[in-house]
Structure formats: structure tokens, C-alpha cells
Amino acid sequence: MPDGLSKRRTAYWMALRPIRKRVPNMGADDKMQNKGEELGGKVKEGLGKVTGDHSMEADGQSDQAKANVKQAGEHVKDAFKGK
């Protein structure tokens, strides 16, 4: 890796450090991402059913289950925060 590239990357992350520390809660972003993963799983499951691809259908169901577990974790965090 060229030395100049390494210095630019370091400068980039050092510049972002104050911004990342100022962001107090990314809960809404996490919830939207989880919902997107769930919808993606539904699409994948539907495509698997339509095409007869059982592997894709199972992957879709798995993606939905993962997203639901993440959403449950967000609900637990919200309950402790009192939202």
C-alpha cells in the first residue's frame, strides 16, 4: 500500500472520529435496516416459491427470522429506555 494512501485513510478516520462520537443513538436506523432485511427475506422467499427453488425460499425464511430476532432486540432496548 502506498504511504500516501495510508496517510489519507488515517486522516479520513481521524476526521470522522468527532462525528461518530456525537451520534448518541442509531436506533431508528437499526430498525429501518432490520425492516429492510425482513422485506428482502419476504421477496427472496416469494421468488423461491414462484421459481420452485427451495433453497432460495429457505434463505428468505432465514433472513426474515434473523430480522425478527434483531427487531425483538430493538424492542427490548426500547423497553429499557422507556420509549
Side-chain angles (χ1 to χ4, degrees):
M1 179 181 303
D3 192 48
L5 182 61
S6 158
K7 288 180 182 178
R8 284 188 299 221
R9 284 185 180 164
T10 302
Y12 173 76
W13 285 109
M14 293 301 289
L16 284 180
R17 181 180 285 160
I19 295 170
R20 289 186 304 188
K21 287 184 179 180
R22 283 185 294 195
V23 178
N25 187 358
M26 298 296 286
D29 291 339
D30 291 338
K31 289 177 186 175
M32 289 187 336
Q33 183 178 7
N34 294 339
K35 189 53 94 170
E37 289 177 14
E38 180 185 2
L39 292 175
K42 287 183 181 183
V43 168
K44 194 183 285 188
E45 180 184 6
L47 284 174
K49 284 182 181 179
V50 169
T51 61
D53 186 352
H54 299 293
S55 176
M56 183 182 289
E57 186 177 348
D59 285 344
Q61 291 171 349
S62 173
D63 291 348
Q64 289 178 62
K66 289 177 190 175
N68 288 335
V69 168
K70 290 178 184 179
Q71 287 176 4
E74 290 294 327
H75 289 302
V76 169
K77 285 196 288 188
D78 289 346
F80 279 104
K81 289 180 185 177
K83 288 187 176 181

